[in-house]
Amino acid sequence: VCEHLHLPVQSGDDTVLRRMGRQYTVEHYLERLAAIRAAVPAISISTDVIVGFCGETRAQFESTLRLLETVRYDQVFAAAYSPRPGTPATKLADDVPADEKRARLNELLALQEGIGLERNRAWVGRDVEVLVDTVVAPRSHDHEEGTAAGPGQSLSGRTRGNKLVHLRGGPELLGTFVNVRVDHAGPYALRGSATAS
């Protein structure tokens, strides 16, 4: 079993969670998360968050920001609320203005980008095992995080903690485990060079 868990929280406010029909509180969520981290100390945690859910106030949104600061997720998948046909939420007023939803989403993503960068920097200088699964097609607009310098093609893969790692090498590495020395961290991915096993 790999050391990664996707544990959706959706909101950091109990009132919003009840309105969403969730069967847990923030306290319950944090208790479970603490037990998981105690059992698997190096586990990486990702989550889902919805901003601008029906009736969400600024204070309730700020509770979600505080939760991100407390938990320090490795990765957050966030979206602004939009009604989905057939869901109970369609009976609620979608009363958070679209521009406010966008602003909240951008604020949350900016906060998480800093947290992700901090968490990823802890990997610089370490050797990690990577399951190489992708040949990355060259793109003219690649930024530094998404490219790896050196001979061979740009490849990527995942660590046991589901960290995305970019490296250089030949297509024969696809589907294999490669030891990689991490030399760069960005908010969303690591970059490194293959080392001798």
Side-chain angles (χ1 to χ4, degrees):
V1 178
C2 288
E3 296 81 12
H4 171 259
L5 182 64
H6 185 68
L7 195 64
V9 70
Q10 305 300 355
S11 174
D13 182 83
D14 288 343
T15 301
V16 175
L17 290 172
R18 278 194 304 277
R19 203 177 303 125
M20 288 177 168
R22 304 291 166 179
Q23 302 299 309
Y24 54 88
T25 64
V26 172
E27 181 181 10
H28 178 262
Y29 180 92
L30 291 173
E31 287 171 358
R32 296 302 177 266
L33 181 56
I36 291 164
R37 284 180 162 165
V40 187
I43 196 165
S44 69
I45 305 288
S46 58
T47 198
D48 295 329
V49 174
I50 297 172
V51 302
F53 189 77
C54 308
E56 182 188 65
T57 65
R58 176 70 199 183
Q60 290 168 334
F61 168 67
E62 288 173 356
S63 293
T64 300
L65 295 179
R66 284 194 302 275
L67 180 71
L68 265 62
E69 290 170 338
T70 298
V71 172
R72 312 214 59 82
Y73 292 101
D74 291 271
Q75 191 171 14
V76 172
F77 300 94
Y81 172 75
S82 61
R84 290 189 182 174
T87 62
T90 57
K91 297 183 176 89
L92 302 173
D94 182 12
D95 55 358
V96 179
D99 58 343
E100 178 62 21
K101 288 178 185 178
R102 277 191 302 277
R104 290 180 189 181
L105 181 60
N106 289 336
E107 186 176 351
L108 183 138
L109 291 174
L111 172 64
Q112 179 56 36
E113 188 169 288
I115 293 169
L117 179 58
E118 174 195 309
R119 292 189 63 78
N120 282 346
R121 281 182 174 156
W123 290 93
V124 173
R126 294 170 63 179
D127 289 346
V128 295
E129 184 181 57
V130 176
L131 174 58
V132 179
D133 61 4
T134 304
V135 173
V136 180
R139 299 180 296 181
S140 60
H141 62 280
D142 271 338
H143 57 358
E144 187 178 326
E145 180 184 337
T147 60
Q153 296 175 285
S154 289
L155 306 172
S156 68
R158 299 275 174 173
T159 68
R160 291 181 56 86
N162 202 35
K163 295 282 188 185
L164 177 63
V165 180
H166 297 284
L167 66 148
R168 302 289 290 187
E172 71 278 1
L173 296 179
L174 283 175
T176 68
F177 290 98
V178 176
N179 289 322
V180 174
R181 170 72 49 87
V182 177
D183 56 30
H184 176 80
Y188 309 108
L190 306 172
R191 188 179 67 226
S193 303
T195 64
S197 299

